[in-house]
Amino acid sequence: LKWRFNFNLSKSKCMVSGKNMFICKPDWFLNKKPMEVVNSIDILGCRSNNNGTVSSHIDKRIQSCRQSFYNLSPIGMSYPGLESKAKAHLWKSICAPTLIYGCDCMCLKAADVMRLESCQGTFVKQCVGVGKRSHHSNLLKALCIPRICNVLENHSLSLYYRIFQSDTPCRELCI
C-alpha cells in the first residue's frame, strides 16, 4: 500500500516565532521553492501568532462558537418555549466544545480565559432570555454548566493522565 501526498509547494507558508533577530528579512525555501512568511498560522485548527500570543485563536474560537450557536436557532436554542435543560445540553454538547477547541494545549493568559468565560455567559444568558447585564455565575450553576477554566483544567489533567499511562518519550520528557 502506497501513500501519495500532494503538496502545493508554491503556497507553502512558514512562521518565524519570537523576536526577529535578523538584520534583513531572510528568504526561506522548501524544495528550492520560496515559502511565504506569515504572522500567524493555522495548524489543525489552532492558530498561533509569531509574537507568542493566542488572541487570534481566541477570536477565532469565539467566532466559531457564535456561528454554531446561531445555527442552533432553527431547533429552538433562542426560542422561549424550549426547556432550559435542553438548551443547557445543546450548549454543553455543541457550543462549549467549539468554544474551547485547541485551548487546552495552548498557553492561555487569565485575560484569555476571562474572554471565553464572558462569551459563555453571554450566550447562555441570551438563550434562556436573561438580560445581558445580569450576572451569569448563578445561572451556569443552576443549569449545571461548568466554567471554562474548570473544563480546560480537566482536559489538561486527562491529557497528563493518558501520557503517564504509556511508556513513550513524551512521558519521559514530562517526568
Side-chain angles (χ1 to χ4, degrees):
L1 183 64
K2 291 185 178 180
W3 293 91
R4 180 178 291 170
F5 295 101
N6 293 323
F7 293 107
N8 188 349
L9 295 177
S10 64
K11 295 187 178 182
S12 297
K13 297 178 182 179
C14 70
M15 181 180 76
V16 179
S17 184
K19 185 178 178 184
N20 188 356
M21 303 297 285
F22 299 109
I23 294 172
C24 60
K25 183 179 172 185
D27 293 327
W28 301 92
F29 294 91
L30 179 64
N31 221 11
K32 298 182 182 178
K33 296 192 179 187
M35 296 180 70
E36 178 187 358
V37 179
V38 294
N39 293 331
S40 66
I41 192 166
D42 286 338
I43 301 173
L44 298 175
C46 296
R47 183 171 289 171
S48 299
N49 294 339
N50 62 348
N51 60 3
T53 64
V54 294
S55 59
S56 62
H57 179 72
I58 300 298
D59 293 338
K60 181 181 171 188
R61 292 290 92 219
I62 291 173
Q63 181 182 6
S64 296
C65 181
R66 182 178 291 116
Q67 184 178 4
S68 65
F69 178 79
Y70 288 119
N71 284 342
L72 293 174
S73 293
I75 61 171
M77 190 66 154
S78 299
Y79 178 68
L82 187 64
E83 198 173 305
S84 296
K85 286 184 179 181
K87 291 179 181 183
H89 178 73
L90 287 172
W91 173 263
K92 290 189 283 189
S93 60
I94 297 171
C95 297
T98 303
L99 183 62
I100 63 169
Y101 177 79
C103 292
D104 47 358
C105 65
M106 296 185 146
C107 184
L108 298 177
K109 296 180 181 176
D112 297 327
V113 176
M114 289 304 293
R115 284 184 58 205
L116 294 172
E117 297 273 0
S118 176
C119 177
Q120 174 175 270
T122 301
F123 286 131
V124 170
K125 286 187 286 191
Q126 186 175 351
C127 76
V128 296
V130 177
K132 65 180 183 179
R133 300 269 185 219
S134 303
H135 294 285
H136 59 264
S137 55
N138 288 333
L139 178 62
L140 293 176
K141 285 180 188 175
L143 293 173
C144 299
I145 297 175
R147 295 182 61 204
I148 296 294
C149 61
N150 294 342
V151 173
L152 292 175
E153 184 179 304
N154 288 339
H155 283 192
S156 298
L157 290 174
S158 174
L159 174 63
Y160 279 121
Y161 178 79
R162 290 190 312 264
I163 286 172
F164 287 119
Q165 294 302 310
S166 60
D167 188 25
T168 62
C170 182
R171 176 181 174 210
E172 298 302 318
L173 182 66
C174 290
I175 290 175

